[in-house]
Amino acid sequence: MKLYEGGVYLVNGTELIPDSADALDMVKNKAGDRAADGSALTREKAKEATIAYGILKEHNTSDSMDKLKIKFDKLTSHDITFVGIIQTARASGLTKFPVPYVLTNCHNSLCAVGGTINEDDHMYGLSCAKRYGGVYVPPHQAVIHQFAREMLAGCGKMILGSDSHTRYGALGTMAVGEGGPELVKQLLGQTYDINMPGVVGVYLTGEPVRGVGPQDVALAIIGEVFGNGYVKNKVMEFVGPGVSSLSPDFRIGIDVMTTETTCLSSIWRTDDQIREFLDIHGRSEDFAELNPGQAAYYDGMIEIDLSEIRPMIAMPFHPSNTYTIEELNANLSDILEDVERRAAVSLDGAVDFTLKNKVRNGRFYVDQGIIAGCAGGGFENICAAADIMKGSNIGSDEFTLSVYPASMPVYMELIRNGCAAALMETGAVLKTAFCGPCFGAGDTPANNAFSIRHSTRNFPNREGSKLQNGQIASVALMDARSIAATAANKGVLTAATDVPAEIGKYRYHFDANIYANRVFDSHGVADESVEVVFGPNIKDWPKMVPLTEHLVLRVVSEIHDPVTTTDELIPSGETSSYRSNPLGLAEFTLSRKDPEYVGRAKEVQKAEKAREALLAGEEGIKPCQTVPGLHDVMGKIKEHFPGVNHTNFGIGSTIFAVKPGDGSAREQAASCQKVLGGWANIANEYATKRYRSNLINWGMLPFIIKEGGLPFANLDWLFIPDIRKAVEEKREEIPAYVVKDDGLHEFMLALGELTDEERQIILKGCLINYNRV
């Protein structure tokens, strides 16, 4: 695999020419000196020849291709996110879904009792699909992304989803996973506002060897580009002759994992195999051939010879912690030592963690295998696993294997072609379409167990263990083929290339009746006579106040991990049944990373509530009397800023994290902080655009502070004067002060680039306030 240092021209789809002083002349000699529109060929014109540029231009509603205002063709959400999204939109005046909006039920599918009976959320979704004109997919029918592949994606289209793995580029659809508020904007007729993203080409040649699957290719890419940020917030465009060596299922399996590179979106060139995929699914009209122009310029290029990829494993606790399985088995002691050293940082030493006890007689033993979800549950992955395991069994010891087909149509075809029976005969268990294993709500391993999974993430606790209760298990990501090889070897870690099994090619037949008989589709017709069904745990968002003239903030958590995931900001798994209750869910904020956060944030929030009560003319305790030490802090502030009083400053909490927001698109990572009185994050940088957008849409200031020694510590009080004016005036630097016993000490913050709309959202206090009618 090769990463080019600068820009690269792709000529006639088959030749790469790195950018240089004479590169454009070389391109003209091979592709002609005119762009597609007849104008002179320049680097800028060549940039317009990418597939991504054409799709973005088609969906841009602004008069500038530098500042995009995108309107999407379709929207999709699952049952962890759609309640909050629709509740936000309802509070902002929603009357009808303006574009097709699909509500799937693949996360809270178990209907278990926790914060709520999950079926209450499902009935809410069904009633909203009827009232506002949407599509409702009942539990166990399909995981969100498989339904979108089968029923929504079309060449040249754009889809926005409230799940970070919203990726349908292999089918010619540019899809973006974002926090819920961005879907709210689309529901209210607003736009998705971004600068024109860079486009990085992924040039594929060759074809995979037997036993190598899509997860192997994906993990190889993630391992190369995550740490260096090569594709961060860019579009990955898959081109080159190697694309056609891959089946649609194989491309889909690579594509869904591009989220773990931190790219913005993805797109692939399309061919007759994609035409056939859409034909099979009864959507021939959605096909269009997509290719870059004769001379296309990319801001970067990843060159991959598919024949050189070998079975991969991403060790705990990140998809980028990659090795070949051969390398791991050959260097067990050194690699496991490194994993344990990294784990000490991720787990903060809260529990004892070791993998060395998995090594017996020089072989690495695995406790559990999972093939599931939008990444692993595809038709070809499961058929390949069945072929590899024929004639073997998983045994009667610790090792278990669960397989979750990604949709009922996939499950049905596995039954018809015999692969389901072949797997069950080995001792594997087949389950229905459910995303639980991807976020810790199903197949939770035993304490200290090691699970290999063809799923999307392996963050700490992503498998469902509870660090706060002293339990830890861990996940490694692998392809279904090598998971099957390991299962056939009774749990001994084995690469699929090391087993002689013949992997066949199976024809897929899509049974459209499964969805026709069960999925509710309004066909875009809203019925306002339908009443929205509310379970007792579905709550409205609490009132949020506009940004005040000044801010007094207390630092209530300080995180120095290199990267902080959204799972660490708000846990997945055990919290999923609280997703429709903002106050109930907020109790879990940072519970895995900093259990004292909630109590500290609530204590600071008492002061703000007292201030707001005072403004409303209510009698009660004064703000400065609510939190020990706040009276003295305000005294020191007023020595330098005598005009500060309860009418012009807000009191709230903030956290510092080096690089927060990797992983999930869940808006709750930000909204829970807001519900608890958070007014800002302070970071050296933000891991993803979607997390920063979530902060903004919930009225939280996404402060940036330069790397180096922090001028403040946990539990310090900060004062940020004239913050409202700073936002209004687009100031690049914002003075702030740490309040110490000897007075105020100045340091500088920044907000980074904000659109005019984003500034207004922050000033109003949140997106709900911005849109409230």
Side-chain angles (χ1 to χ4, degrees), residues 531-665:
E531 295 293 330
V532 176
V533 177
F534 289 90
N537 194 58
I538 297 176
K539 305 296 183 184
D540 291 329
W541 293 103
K543 180 183 176 183
M544 300 173 192
V545 301
L547 181 63
T548 52
E549 187 177 341
H550 315 292
L551 277 180
V552 177
L553 303 178
R554 193 175 201 186
V555 182
V556 293
S557 188
E558 186 178 351
I559 304 170
H560 288 277
D561 292 358
V563 179
T564 303
T565 69
T566 45
D567 280 41
E568 291 169 314
L569 294 167
I570 181 65
S572 55
E574 76 269 24
T575 66
S576 60
S577 62
Y578 291 86
R579 298 288 178 191
S580 51
N581 183 335
L583 295 174
L585 182 63
E587 295 292 329
F588 294 88
T589 313
L590 277 169
S591 58
R592 292 176 180 167
K593 200 69 187 171
D594 186 353
E596 296 184 70
Y597 166 81
V598 172
R600 290 169 176 167
K602 282 184 171 181
E603 183 179 46
V604 177
Q605 191 177 34
K606 291 177 185 177
E608 174 61 17
K609 288 183 175 179
R611 185 191 73 85
E612 292 172 21
L614 192 62
L615 278 177
E618 300 174 15
E619 294 185 4
I621 189 171
K622 293 182 179 180
C624 290
Q625 298 172 328
T626 58
V627 183
L630 181 56
H631 184 274
D632 292 340
V633 166
M634 293 308 305
K636 289 183 173 62
I637 291 172
K638 289 182 178 183
E639 287 177 12
H640 298 272
F641 297 89
V644 171
N645 60 67
H646 74 277
T647 67
N648 59 23
F649 75 88
I651 307 169
S653 57
T654 188
I655 67 169
F656 169 80
V658 174
K659 189 178 179 181
D662 183 28
S664 173

Side-chain angles (χ1 to χ4, degrees), residues 295-426:
Y297 183 87
Y298 294 90
D299 299 288
M301 183 66 67
I302 305 166
E303 188 174 3
I304 303 172
D305 181 349
L306 292 166
S307 67
E308 294 182 354
I309 302 295
R310 292 296 178 267
M312 301 290 295
I313 183 168
M315 294 294 282
F317 284 101
H318 199 276
S320 64
N321 191 15
T322 55
Y323 305 89
T324 65
I325 294 176
E326 179 184 20
E327 180 185 9
L328 173 61
N329 278 331
N331 301 276
L332 277 172
S333 179
D334 291 343
I335 292 175
L336 296 184
E337 179 69 32
D338 181 66
V339 171
E340 291 177 12
R341 187 166 52 249
R342 294 186 188 208
V345 175
S346 295
L347 304 176
D348 292 329
V351 293
D352 292 330
F353 173 76
T354 183
L355 294 176
K356 293 173 185 172
N357 60 1
K358 304 298 176 187
V359 181
R360 305 175 211 159
N361 299 319
R363 301 197 298 178
F364 192 87
Y365 280 80
V366 174
D367 300 291
Q368 182 192 66
I370 304 284
I371 300 170
C374 58
F379 176 71
E380 287 184 5
N381 290 330
I382 299 175
C383 289
D387 282 347
I388 289 169
M389 293 192 68
K390 278 179 183 175
S392 66
N393 62 79
I394 68 173
S396 57
D397 217 324
E398 295 98 335
F399 184 83
T400 62
L401 177 62
S402 294
V403 179
Y404 293 76
S407 71
M408 273 298 179
V410 170
Y411 203 154
M412 178 66 80
E413 189 62 15
L414 293 169
I415 292 171
R416 286 175 172 157
N417 72 12
C419 287
L423 279 168
M424 287 189 282
E425 188 177 16
T426 71

